[in-house]
């Protein structure tokens, strides 16, 4: 991470996301990974926050919604999931007969941690009329306790489709939940969880970078706080950020989400300049969980077929229904 005290006012404008793998290892590892992919009949799925070298050799790079769709549709025997644990679990739930590999078993998520299944069960017991909508950033067990799942890419649509006579309970991200309530006017009980990365941006810091780049629109992820979302020209999922930036006539865009996104944006829109919104601590806010996956670990997990993501059959069966409900509503 870069200390903001060392950053000159406009230095962030030339920001690029760097490779982590030493150049002498990059070619060898990439070649071997592609070879292993053939041998295993595998597909490599990567989230938009993964390190550049993983994004560059993945078969598909996208947001949680796109990754779920890919996991449900692939013909490959093995899904190598370069993302965090709940995403790999979702792939396993949608394709239970396939082997799902995750380069680092400890790649978790602060939102998932904030919502233990026992606590959710206890809250649900207080109101039998609750209809539970779970943001996909939660454990398989929490999904199994929910009526429907959503991602940042379809949350509005999922909430709009919820039965009108039920009391909505939204878990575990209170910021995403509050953003959806603002758009749908549907009151919801919100679980008090947040993404430790996205709550780092403040109104003050984001206002400062906007003043430095008055012509650059600001795009923010809905996991940001309201104080930041209210400054944004667009609030959307990581995949929709790509569409917004492609369609925008602006030459520079300020991005308030995990810094890995900038690699994807630079590839998709090479003529545009992307400016990471700074926080108090740094200019390149990183998710420590997403960054646990490295090219070396990707190589080793394919060579050794471990760590593998496995789940209890009962959990798979229960969690599958709300995820399939989401995919069905999302496709309407
Ligand atoms: P997206 O589905 O928008 O990519 O978000 C996933 C995530 O973990 C955001 O922090
Ligand atoms: Fe979880 Fe936040 Fe990391 Fe996304 S960025 S995986 S919400 S901790």
């Amino acid at each position: 991470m870069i200390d903001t005290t060392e950053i000159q006012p406009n230095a962030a404008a030339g920001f690029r996301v760097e490779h982590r793998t030493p150049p002498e290892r990059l070619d060898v590892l990439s070649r071997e990974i592609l070879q292993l992919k053939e041998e295993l009949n595998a597909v490599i799925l990567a989230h938009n926050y993964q390190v550049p070298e993983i994004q560059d050799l993945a078969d598909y790079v996208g947001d949680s919604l796109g990754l779920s769709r890919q996991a449900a549709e692939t013909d490959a025997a093995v899904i190598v999931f370069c993302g965090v644990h709940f995403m790999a679990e979702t792939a396993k739930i949608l394709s239970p007969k396939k082997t799902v590999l995750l380069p680092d078993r400890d790649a978790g998520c602060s939102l998932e941690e904030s919502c233990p299944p026992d606590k959710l069960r206890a809250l649900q017991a207080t109101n039998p009329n609750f209809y539970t909508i779970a943001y996909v950033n939660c454990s398989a067990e929490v999904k199994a306790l929910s009526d429907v799942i959503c991602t940042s890419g379809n949350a509005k649509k999922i909430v709009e489709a919820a039965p009108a006579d039920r009391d909505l309970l939204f878990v575990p991200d209170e910021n995403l939940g509050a953003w959806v309530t603002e758009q749908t006017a549907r009151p919801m009980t919100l679980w008090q969880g947040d993404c430790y990365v996205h709550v780092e941006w403040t109104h003050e810091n984001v206002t400062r970078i906007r003043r430095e780049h008055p012509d650059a629109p600001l795009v923010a992820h809905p996991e940001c706080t309201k104080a930041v979302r209210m400054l944004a020209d667009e609030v959307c999922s990581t995949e929709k950020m790509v569409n917004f930036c492609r369609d925008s006539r602006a030459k520079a865009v300020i991005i308030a989400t995990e810094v890995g996104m900038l690699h994807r944006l630079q590839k998709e829109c090479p003529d545009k300049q992307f400016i990471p919104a700074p926080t108090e601590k740094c200019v390149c806010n990183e998710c420590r969980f997403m960054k646990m996956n490295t090219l070396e670990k990707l190589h080793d997990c394919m060579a050794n077929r471990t760590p593998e993501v496995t789940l209890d059959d009962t959990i798979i069966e229960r969690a599958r229904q709300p995820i399939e409900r989401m995919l069905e509503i999302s496709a309407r």
Side-chain angles (χ1 to χ4, degrees):
M1 288 199 177
I2 300 167
D3 185 344
T4 37
T5 54
E6 289 170 11
I7 290 171
Q8 301 305 309
N10 278 332
F15 188 88
R16 293 201 83 78
V17 188
E18 299 299 335
H19 285 72
R20 303 284 165 99
T21 315
E24 65 279 10
R25 294 285 291 141
L26 186 64
D27 280 357
V28 179
L29 282 171
S30 302
R31 227 177 304 118
E32 287 181 14
I33 288 168
L34 294 177
Q35 173 74 30
L36 284 162
K37 196 175 81 148
E38 292 298 308
E39 286 166 25
L40 294 174
N41 180 18
V43 63
I44 301 177
L45 306 182
H47 186 264
N48 285 319
Y49 297 162
Q50 291 295 288
V51 292
E53 50 271 50
I54 291 184
Q55 291 195 31
D56 291 348
L57 56 67
D59 295 296
Y60 176 84
V61 184
D63 67 356
S64 305
L65 181 58
L67 290 163
S68 310
R69 287 192 181 126
Q70 294 290 322
E73 286 163 15
T74 182
D75 292 330
V78 176
I79 299 174
V80 187
F81 208 105
C82 299
V84 290
H85 194 262
F86 75 80
M87 294 178 174
E89 276 187 343
T90 306
K92 182 70 185 172
I93 293 162
L94 287 166
S95 291
K97 293 205 163 53
K98 298 187 193 299
T99 300
V100 178
L101 302 173
L102 176 68
D104 192 315
R105 195 189 294 283
D106 294 330
C109 170
S110 67
L111 277 167
E112 177 182 353
E113 279 169 14
S114 77
C115 190
D118 287 354
K119 287 203 174 146
L120 174 58
R121 223 179 268 115
L123 179 60
Q124 285 173 324
T126 64
N127 180 356
N129 199 40
F130 266 148
Y131 182 85
T132 306
I133 303 174
Y135 183 33
V136 70
N137 296 39
C138 63
S139 66
E141 233 177 310
V142 164
K143 289 185 178 76
L145 292 170
S146 304
D147 293 292
V148 67
I149 308 301
C150 73
T151 73
S152 56
N154 61 20
K156 181 171 177 266
K157 208 169 183 184
I158 300 296
V159 170
E160 280 169 350
D165 58 345
R166 301 287 296 274
D167 300 325
L168 303 191
L169 169 61
F170 190 91
V171 304
D173 188 356
E174 61 174 315
N175 289 305
L176 177 72
W179 174 66
V180 180
T181 294
E182 284 160 25
Q183 297 171 83
T184 58
R186 200 72 211 264
M188 301 197 283
T189 300
L190 303 180
W191 190 268
Q192 303 292 291
D194 58 41
C195 162
Y196 89 100
V197 179
H198 285 87
V199 297
E200 283 290 330
W201 283 285
T202 62
H203 192 86
E204 236 181 344
N205 286 332
V206 173
T207 301
R208 182 169 56 79
I209 195 86
R210 289 220 68 163
R211 282 203 193 110
E212 285 171 18
H213 302 276
D215 297 330
L218 168 72
V219 181
H221 197 275
E223 290 171 10
C224 291
T225 61
K226 180 165 185 175
V228 168
R229 291 195 313 268
M230 65 193 288
L231 297 172
D233 297 278
E234 180 72 2
V235 177
C236 59
S237 80
T238 59
E239 198 57 30
K240 288 185 181 168
M241 287 182 186
V242 176
N243 301 334
F244 175 87
C245 293
R246 257 199 224 117
D247 296 346
S248 170
R249 294 163 69 103
K251 290 194 174 70
V253 185
I254 304 168
I255 305 292
T257 197
E258 209 267 2
V259 75
M261 189 66 215
L262 273 78
H263 179 69
R264 173 83 198 280
L265 290 169
Q266 279 156 353
K267 276 178 88 168
E268 301 278 353
C269 313
D271 299 334
K272 288 194 164 66
Q273 189 179 48
F274 295 101
I275 304 160
T279 66
E280 268 316 303
K281 294 183 196 150
C282 67
V283 77
C284 56
N285 232 12
E286 288 190 343
C287 170
R288 66 171 182 274
F289 303 110
M290 287 280 180
K291 276 4 190 213
M292 282 180 181
N293 296 326
T294 60
L295 203 63
E296 281 85 356
K297 288 185 200 169
L298 169 58
H299 173 275
D300 293 354
C301 91
M302 292 174 79
N304 305 323
R305 293 180 69 108
T306 187
E308 182 180 350
V309 175
T310 54
L311 283 167
D312 189 90
D313 285 348
T314 326
I315 294 286
I316 291 184
E317 201 162 312
R318 287 207 205 123
R320 196 183 167 90
Q321 291 164 24
I323 300 174
E324 283 184 343
R325 195 165 292 138
M326 166 188 84
L327 292 173
E328 187 266 304
I329 295 169
S330 205
R332 280 181 203 165

